[in-house]
Amino acid sequence: SMVPGSVFLLLRLMRFEKYTKAFTSFDDVLRDNLDVLAMTGFSALLLWIFFSSLLYLTERDSVDTEMANYYKSVPHSMWITLLNLSGECPLAHYSAFGKIILGFIAVFATAIFGVPIGLLGAGFEELVTEEEDAEIDESSDAANVVSSTPLSAAGDGLQKACYQFVNGIGSISAMRFELSIYALIIATAIIGIVQTVPGYDEFFSWLEWVAVSVFTIEYLLRFVGCGADPDYSGLSFKRMRYILSFYSIIDLLAIVPFYIALATPTSWVDRHDEYFRMLRLLRLLKLDKYFPSISLVDDVVRLKRNVLTVSCFAALTLWIIFAGIMYVAEYRDMLMEIDPLPLYGCVDGCTMSVRFINYFNSFPLTGIHLTGDFPMVEYGSVGRVVLFFIVIAAVGVTSIPSGVIASGFAEIVQSKSKNIPSPKGSAAGDDWFDIKYRELEGQSPPSSSFGPSVDRLQFAVKYYLDGTIDDSTGTTVRTTFSRIGRSLFMLLIISNIVAVVLESIPEIDKNVGNDPGNMFDVFEKWSVLFFTIDYALRLFSARKSREALFSPWVYAFTFFGIVDILSVLPWYVELILSKSGYLTGGEAMVFRIFRIFRVLQLEDFVVAFSKLDNVFRASKDVLKATGLMAVIIWVGSSALFFIFEQNNPNFRSCDASVPLTSTNDEPGCYDFESTQECNDYYPDKCSQSAFTNMPNTMFYVAVFLGGDWGFVDFTWPGKLVCMFLCVAGIALYSIPVGTLFDSFGAVIGLGEEDEEEDEETSPIL
């Protein structure tokens, strides 16, 4: 393993700096943001010391020995508080006051503490991007990358017919065949996942025969039709090129093992059927033919090559150097005890030195920390100091390549559809409702069939509920009575939310009383009465509301109408079922929890969720491609973790009667190659805590892809998958979520710009 002095040899990587000019940019970033960094940095320091002191006072005498140990002094408290302020919460057993402080940190303090860290990362990214813009016009490059002139199919009649049929071109039967391929891909992937659960080995196994037959026919048709494929136009050896193509190899890997196992029942392939079943998941890559995603990655790399070169050099250099420093800091750390790690040769009295036994073990663990996650906190003083610098500087810089890949991918996909014309005056995510709303501009509401008196009453109710728009200022004007009623209604909504929370606390619920007619029940009856009246008034006045397209039926199915009915309907259903004797006290709690939907009624005061459907429509093109890629990364990484980690002894536990290691010729818990072998020898006394089947693994990998690593002590193949997720997987997986946030900002921003121009905007369902 690396000797401590050898870590300094890693600094030779900095000699590449003269070619990339990556770290010299830090000097420019610091100069350009010196004033802001000084102010925000000092504020962050004060917050760190202040909250460390508070948590020291609240947790130093905790009955939980682990909590008391981490908060036994202010310096000790500063380590965990640093992680709290960076957005991590590795400990959970806080006192009541400690939980309040942690809640305040999560809501307010992390944003302030993250400003200087974000400035460093954003400043570095901005400088690197500016340098790239000086060399190449990215928008022109993007157009060149994605623009192409579609070619028509060529070849003889049979080749052309086969090509068009498998690509859903020319007939309804071709389209249906293509749709059946979609359905079989998704169905067999789900079945492959379910079959990893013990007892479901033969779950829908007959469908695999159908799928392989259909996929075989599809492959033969593609093989015959590749002569008419425009991608091979003008090329020689077309069929050989097709056989060696990416999609052909995926197709073969998905069907050939089935035929080998069928033809040789006792072969090596058949004996390892469990692993070859995982190859079925490769069929998800076939969907890339229809919804390009993975195949666009090379376009993204070409588009962002200059930024990626510089930022990847900076990130990789920091990763390599900090991994070496963490190794030196922890390879002799014998103080902080951790759980047994039999895979690493330790079953008792293990410390952090086992995890950092050499540089290569340190590398993936440091990579996890550089993603901003800290699942391990049992570090010594030197290790904590090193991690302080990782939190302050390195996390922001190492996240830049991931952000560049994500933004480049979104840019490529969006550029494909940017030339699609939009209706005049339309905004991002508009649908039929918005179009109809614009058509009604300037039109008078329809008259009531019950006469002018009802018209006047409907207008009065409408003005009370929604006010009127001042044409000169564009603002909403309300009467004093309307303002008071609106304020009281908002107070009622908030009170209902508080009541739902308080009623769920056993001590409070017990003191208030569970008998009919208690305070909560009375408050609920009055609340339902007011909410019902409000809903009825809105339906009554909808004939005079352009926001409801002058129709009570339309209002009933808008976002606000659905929220209004969800706020009261559960109470009426609970009442009917209780009176009829079909509902007991415990079951009634389910209906009471539905009251929490009343929080959505605050949407009438602050617009947020009602724009979500517009957000989805505005980002549908990116979501189709990136959503498929996210699923492929999720399922693919889960399959690899399941294969590599299902028998990892680090995640195995046994009954107390089973020795940990071999004694008196009796094998121990950790001596078996697999958990199943352990159970065969010690029936029902061995268990695996994670990665036991594909659904279980997919849960943990979803957590990993969210940036939280609940497990870190993987086998070496598992560590390689872990490093892939740290480098690119998390960024690619997060693109759909990032796209939704960007689209949400765009939709909100459009409304704000229109307000500044005193123009009336369309309401959102």
Side-chain angles (χ1 to χ4, degrees), residues 355-419:
R355 283 189 173 128
F356 290 86
I357 193 170
N358 56 51
Y359 175 82
F360 297 103
N361 278 16
S362 174
F363 196 73
L365 299 177
T366 305
I368 289 174
H369 291 324
L370 287 171
T371 66
D373 191 42
F374 294 85
M376 303 166 294
V377 296
E378 306 93 345
Y379 288 103
S381 300
V382 179
R384 295 179 184 185
V385 172
V386 177
L387 289 171
F388 166 79
F389 288 103
I390 287 180
V391 170
I392 295 300
V395 170
V397 175
T398 52
S399 65
I400 293 174
S402 299
V404 170
I405 293 172
S407 64
F409 202 102
E411 186 177 336
I412 290 287
V413 176
Q414 288 171 341
S415 65
K416 286 181 174 291
S417 57
K418 65 181 180 181
N419 294 324

Side-chain angles (χ1 to χ4, degrees), residues 655-697:
D655 185 79
S657 61
V658 179
L660 297 180
T661 56
S662 58
T663 57
N664 299 325
D665 298 328
E666 287 289 324
C669 178
Y670 302 135
D671 296 328
F672 295 96
E673 289 292 326
S674 69
T675 306
Q676 183 59 49
E677 291 180 8
C678 182
N679 274 317
D680 291 341
Y681 195 92
Y682 299 105
D684 300 324
K685 293 186 177 181
C686 310
S687 62
Q688 201 77 2
S689 61
F691 311 109
T692 55
N693 52 57
M694 272 296 290
N696 174 274
T697 305

Side-chain angles (χ1 to χ4, degrees), residues 136-149 299 302-303 305 412 415-416 418:
I136 186 170
D137 183 358
E138 281 193 0
S139 61
S140 174
D141 193 19
N144 292 334
V145 169
V146 300
S147 62
S148 62
T149 303
D299 295 340
R302 287 199 302 272
L303 174 64
R305 59 185 177 274
I412 290 287
S415 65
K416 286 181 174 291
K418 65 181 180 181

Side-chain angles (χ1 to χ4, degrees), residues 689-747:
S689 61
F691 311 109
T692 55
N693 52 57
M694 272 296 290
N696 174 274
T697 305
M698 290 176 70
F699 165 75
Y700 288 114
V701 174
V703 175
F704 298 162
L705 288 167
D708 288 305
W709 292 86
F711 298 97
V712 296
D713 302 308
F714 304 117
T715 61
W716 259 109
K719 289 179 180 180
L720 294 177
V721 180
C722 165
M723 286 188 283
F724 163 74
L725 295 184
C726 290
V727 171
I730 293 175
L732 295 174
Y733 182 81
S734 64
I735 294 175
V737 178
T739 301
L740 289 176
F741 277 108
D742 290 342
S743 298
F744 192 83
V747 171

Side-chain angles (χ1 to χ4, degrees), residues 432-461:
W432 67 271
F433 179 87
D434 306 281
I435 296 171
K436 183 66 175 177
Y437 179 87
R438 283 191 294 271
E439 292 176 354
L440 293 176
E441 184 175 2
Q443 296 187 23
S444 300
S447 299
S448 172
S449 57
F450 296 99
S453 58
V454 175
D455 282 329
R456 288 192 294 271
L457 186 57
Q458 286 176 327
F459 274 118
V461 173

Side-chain angles (χ1 to χ4, degrees), residues 113-190:
F113 187 80
V115 170
I117 300 173
L119 281 174
L120 288 174
F124 181 78
E125 182 176 10
E126 184 178 353
L127 280 176
V128 172
T129 305
E130 287 175 357
E131 291 175 6
E132 184 197 43
D133 290 340
E135 298 177 10
I136 186 170
D137 183 358
E138 281 193 0
S139 61
S140 174
D141 193 19
N144 292 334
V145 169
V146 300
S147 62
S148 62
T149 303
L151 301 173
S152 59
D156 59 35
L158 178 61
Q159 291 177 343
K160 186 174 181 180
C162 291
Y163 172 78
Q164 291 182 334
F165 183 76
V166 293
N167 287 283
I169 302 171
S171 67
I172 295 178
S173 60
M175 294 176 61
R176 289 175 178 172
F177 181 79
E178 188 178 41
L179 289 174
S180 71
I181 295 295
Y182 296 164
L184 281 174
I185 290 172
I186 296 171
T188 54
I190 294 173

